[in-house]
Amino acid sequence: MDWVERAAQLRQWTRGGTRAPHKPLLLLYALSRFQQGDDDELRYSAVEEDLRGLLAEYGPGNRTTPAYPFHHLVTDGVWEVRTERGPGSPGPGVRELRATGAAGRLAPELRAALRREPSLLGRMARVLLDLNFPPSLHGELCEAVGLEPEEAETGLLSVARRQRDRRMREMVLTAYEYQCAFCGYDGRIGAAPVGLEAAHVRWWAFDGPDVVENGLCLCSLHHKLFDKGVLGLGESTADEPGTSSGSGSSSGTGSSTRTDTSSGTGSTTRADTGPGSGMDPDSGTDPRAGSGTSHRILVSQSFVGRSAAAREHVVALAGRPLIGPQPGARPVAAAHRAWHTRQVFHGSPRPAATNQA
């Protein structure tokens, strides 16, 4: 029995590119507990909060329950559930799982295979991570579940759906001229960029292609926040929920726009081009912004940061125009942007930052 193949083929809701990482998260959690020497059954009422926290942090933005994977993972042959009445799950309802003392554990055959071949655990974990989450989240997700994945053995890619295009990083960084599309960071050590990464907008694990129009050049911080749903992409300030035409946007280094209605002849938009604004005082434009796209940065209202650093590097991004791509390079495709907004971005976006006159 190929347990790595089973981990790669967990039955999940897949319609319309919908993310449903419930089963992979539960299986990673169970593998971690087994690795730590805990071969006892996992009582639902005891692990419910742990699983709920994992789903809230690494699952889709909509509300969900750990009862779903606890019950349904049984159908994949890697998990078993029993209650105080005997073998079998009482159903996917939270109340039933609690009331019957439902407890789950890895299937007996899988536990025996893991004891015979300890490296199997690492290979299964690697497949679950590769096929369900972006690489930027792998390390912290392993820490969150307490897992120490071993190195994958030769032949692991045979269960993956396809191989990545190694040219993706270079193509995306070139398109955005080796600077973060959100903040403009462009650090280097000698000639080599440092802290810059090619982010997939639609995750590779969910059929996101390795092409420029599905990529962004982001610094390490903003890549992580983008993959965690703190940051997103909107079409324009006027098109985003919670905003209206005439609301200004921060340029990223202190610039803003404001509506002037004092003339009595209609409103006009003026740009703040003072020192440190990042704006060209002659043209009133941000020379770093891309010329071929109206994409603007979304910041989730769910994000909370009280420090000056959090306000400067995250909150102040709300409504800011994307930096790049350079003329002639393809901007992020609408379909990929829409997928990220539906499947990754958390909640509603903050209105664009404004300076009051």
Side-chain angles (χ1 to χ4, degrees):
M1 183 175 297
D2 192 334
W3 293 105
V4 177
E5 189 77 23
R6 286 202 177 190
Q9 296 180 354
L10 295 180
R11 299 181 182 93
Q12 299 179 62
W13 177 262
T14 57
R15 189 171 69 186
T18 300
R19 278 207 311 133
H22 308 68
K23 288 182 177 180
L25 284 170
L26 173 56
L27 186 50
L28 283 168
Y29 183 85
L31 288 171
S32 169
R33 296 290 289 264
F34 183 89
Q35 186 184 57
Q36 296 167 22
D38 187 355
D39 195 21
D40 295 334
E41 294 179 330
L42 304 178
R43 194 176 180 92
Y44 179 79
S45 57
V47 300
E48 181 179 7
E49 286 308 308
D50 284 350
L51 297 176
R52 191 183 303 280
L54 289 172
L55 284 169
E57 189 164 1
Y58 299 101
N62 55 301
R63 294 184 62 184
T64 187
T65 171
Y68 170 85
F70 204 92
H71 166 76
H72 286 289
L73 187 60
V74 172
T75 63
D76 294 281
V78 297
W79 180 251
E80 65 176 5
V81 176
R82 59 186 297 118
T83 68
E84 294 168 348
R85 298 192 294 264
S89 172
V94 173
R95 291 181 180 177
E96 291 85 352
L97 289 169
R98 292 173 180 167
T100 60
R105 70 194 310 192
L106 297 175
E109 299 85 355
L110 176 54
R111 298 200 307 273
L114 290 169
R115 293 190 190 98
R116 289 193 307 269
E117 188 181 359
S119 65
L120 173 61
L121 190 148
R123 299 202 308 277
M124 291 182 67
R126 183 58 57 195
V127 165
L128 290 169
L129 291 168
D130 285 344
L131 297 184
N132 295 280
F133 305 96
S136 66
L137 300 184
H138 290 184
E140 70 167 69
L141 183 48
C142 286
E143 290 182 9
V145 299
L147 188 67
E148 292 288 343
E150 293 105 15
E151 289 296 322
E153 294 184 357
T154 303
L156 175 61
L157 287 177
S158 63
V159 302
R161 290 175 289 188
R162 68 191 196 282
Q163 295 189 32
R164 297 174 183 269
D165 187 339
R166 296 181 181 276
R167 300 170 298 173
M168 168 76 169
R169 180 177 184 274
E170 183 64 25
M171 291 188 299
V172 171
L173 267 60
T174 298
Y176 286 85
E177 301 181 284
Y178 290 84
Q179 59 181 335
C180 176
F182 286 175
C183 68
Y185 168 83
D186 60 355
R188 293 175 179 264
I189 294 180
V194 59
L196 287 173
E197 302 164 357
H200 281 74
V201 179
R202 182 181 181 124
W203 293 355
W204 184 87
F206 287 84
D207 298 322
D210 290 329
V211 294
V212 170
E213 52 265 43
N214 187 41
L216 287 172
C217 176
L218 297 177
C219 67
S220 299
L221 170 64
H222 291 135
H223 188 178
K224 178 62 68 68
L225 296 178
F226 187 65
D227 283 347
K228 292 294 286 286
V230 172
L231 301 175
L233 286 180
E235 196 58 42
S236 67
T237 304
D239 294 335
E240 297 307 327
T243 65
S244 60
S245 57
S247 64
S249 65
S250 169
S251 77
T253 49
S255 67
S256 65
T257 59
R258 59 187 176 88
T259 302
D260 182 358
T261 57
S262 61
S263 65
T265 57
S267 64
T268 60
T269 302
R270 294 182 177 177
D272 178 359
T273 59
S277 69
M279 303 290 282
D280 184 334
D282 295 320
S283 65
T285 62
D286 185 343
R288 304 171 304 162
S291 60
T293 176
S294 59
H295 292 160
R296 292 183 179 272
I297 302 168
L298 306 181
V299 178
S300 172
Q301 289 184 346
S302 300
F303 175 79
V304 177
R306 297 181 176 85
S307 67
R311 291 194 299 271
E312 177 184 356
H313 298 299
V314 183
V315 177
L317 294 175
R320 182 185 301 179
L322 204 65
I323 301 171
Q326 62 175 290
R330 292 179 178 273
V332 174
H336 303 322
R337 180 178 58 83
W339 182 90
H340 186 275
T341 301
R342 291 194 309 269
Q343 299 299 325
V344 181
F345 187 74
H346 278 271
S348 301
R350 290 171 176 262
T354 59
N355 283 354
Q356 301 297 323

